[in-house]
Amino acid sequence: VVSSGTQSLPAYVIQKLELDKKHGFTLKAVDDSGAVNANWTAFKSGQVDAIISDWISLARNVEQGNKAVAVVPFLGWGNGILVPEASGVNSLADLKGLKIGVYSRIAPDWIFIRAAAKKLYGFDPEKENTISEAAPGLLLGLMQEGKVDSALNYGDLNNILLGMGGFRMPFQISEIMEGIGLSTEAPFLFYTFNQDFIDKHPETVKAFAAAYKEAIEFLKTDEAIWQDIADRQKITSELTIKLMQENARKNIFTEMTPQMEDNIHAIFGVLLAEAGEKELGISYLPEGLFQQP
């Protein structure tokens, strides 16, 4: 797990409420093994039995021979565009010609923006905007220093600047997706387990899924836990913690539905059409990528 932000919350709540013990297993959360790229390193080296992964990275790794399966859906599309409060940007159309900071040019979020800008407003941001690619943390500084007019960043980091004041979010990626006909009833991040672990311990995987669902329901209904989260993550802004709370309630999933896999395949089709196999690193989603626990 990562040690801060939304991705840290389920494991924290499971351990705090001892939901693992309630459901008959012991959860060991390996802090910061879930950071970008570190999660798959930990997985491949056998340091962990499960990680949080996006399904594109999962598909790439399965194609490379790694025995991994997405079992429990987690987080949806809460990232967004941030602009200074005085900015005239109110929609995707208003981004044309501006300097945009992005956390990754191959991230689905940015690919959706490219596809939507072409389809809905007739411009290509890669050609008609100045794009600065920087690590998510560095984007905060670029925005504060005024070196970019807008930034596409992770929801948790956007919430930090929103909590400080002087910035606003004209739209989230979920709105861009819906604008080009995609359903957001499809998480991007899943709890991904080693297939061998699933085969050997199917009841433990089911128990984890049950504990996770209970933890998320607690996050969505209990107010007091959010002060604990704020203290733990050293968040002093009431607005930031409120935005984190809203994001969790809106964008966290708890179980697979029959429509989810179809929605994911439709999303992948748009990504592949816009970015191509070379950029995505894969041309199709392998069979059996998603399983019910």
Side-chain angles (χ1 to χ4, degrees), residues 45-273:
S45 63
Q47 297 177 52
V48 298
D49 301 304
I51 57 174
I52 296 171
S53 174
D54 67 84
W55 44 259
I56 294 178
S57 297
L58 170 61
R60 291 191 197 110
N61 279 276
V62 168
E63 278 301 283
Q64 294 166 9
N66 293 288
K67 299 172 71 175
V69 182
V71 175
V72 177
F74 175 38
L75 197 59
W77 309 89
N79 298 341
I81 286 283
L82 206 69
V83 298
E85 207 161 48
S87 169
V89 173
N90 293 300
S91 71
L92 175 56
D94 299 326
L95 290 180
K96 184 177 180 179
L98 300 184
K99 294 179 290 184
I100 305 175
V102 300
Y103 68 87
S104 171
R105 273 181 134 123
I106 62 171
D109 297 339
W110 179 241
I111 298 172
F112 290 138
I113 286 176
R114 286 162 40 187
K118 291 177 185 177
K119 181 178 180 178
L120 302 177
Y121 303 110
F123 75 97
D124 183 350
E126 284 286 353
K127 295 179 180 178
E128 299 179 55
N129 291 77
T130 301
I131 309 302
S132 299
E133 186 176 28
L138 293 178
L139 280 182
L140 298 182
L142 292 178
M143 281 295 293
Q144 288 174 301
E145 294 166 11
K147 292 183 177 178
V148 293
D149 301 310
S150 64
L152 170 63
N153 211 345
Y154 294 144
D156 289 328
L157 295 181
N158 282 341
N159 289 340
I160 291 173
L161 286 187
L162 290 170
M164 292 170 57
F167 298 92
R168 60 184 177 86
M169 186 184 298
F171 57 85
Q172 288 187 320
I173 294 304
S174 57
E175 297 168 66
I176 298 299
M177 295 170 67
E178 290 167 349
I180 53 176
L182 294 173
S183 172
T184 55
E185 287 298 308
F188 185 51
L189 297 180
F190 279 79
Y191 281 88
T192 296
F193 277 75
N194 181 291
Q195 181 66 67
D196 288 339
F197 185 88
I198 295 173
D199 293 341
K200 292 176 182 176
H201 309 286
E203 294 306 315
T204 302
V205 177
K206 289 180 182 179
F208 171 81
Y212 165 81
K213 184 176 181 180
E214 194 170 335
I216 299 307
E217 290 304 319
F218 186 78
L219 278 175
K220 290 183 176 183
T221 58
D222 188 89
E223 295 293 327
I225 188 66
W226 289 96
Q227 187 55 54
D228 291 344
I229 291 167
D231 294 342
R232 176 175 177 265
Q233 299 190 15
K234 298 180 174 61
I235 298 171
T236 57
S237 165
E238 291 185 9
L239 177 57
T240 292
I241 199 66
K242 182 175 183 291
L243 291 169
M244 282 185 64
Q245 186 177 12
E246 290 174 355
N247 180 58
R249 290 176 172 174
K250 178 182 178 182
N251 292 308
I252 292 181
F253 295 81
T254 56
E255 55 192 344
M256 288 287 288
T257 66
Q259 296 78 29
M260 272 186 189
E261 192 165 349
D262 288 340
N263 292 340
I264 287 171
H265 279 273
I267 290 168
F268 180 75
V270 170
L271 295 174
L272 185 63

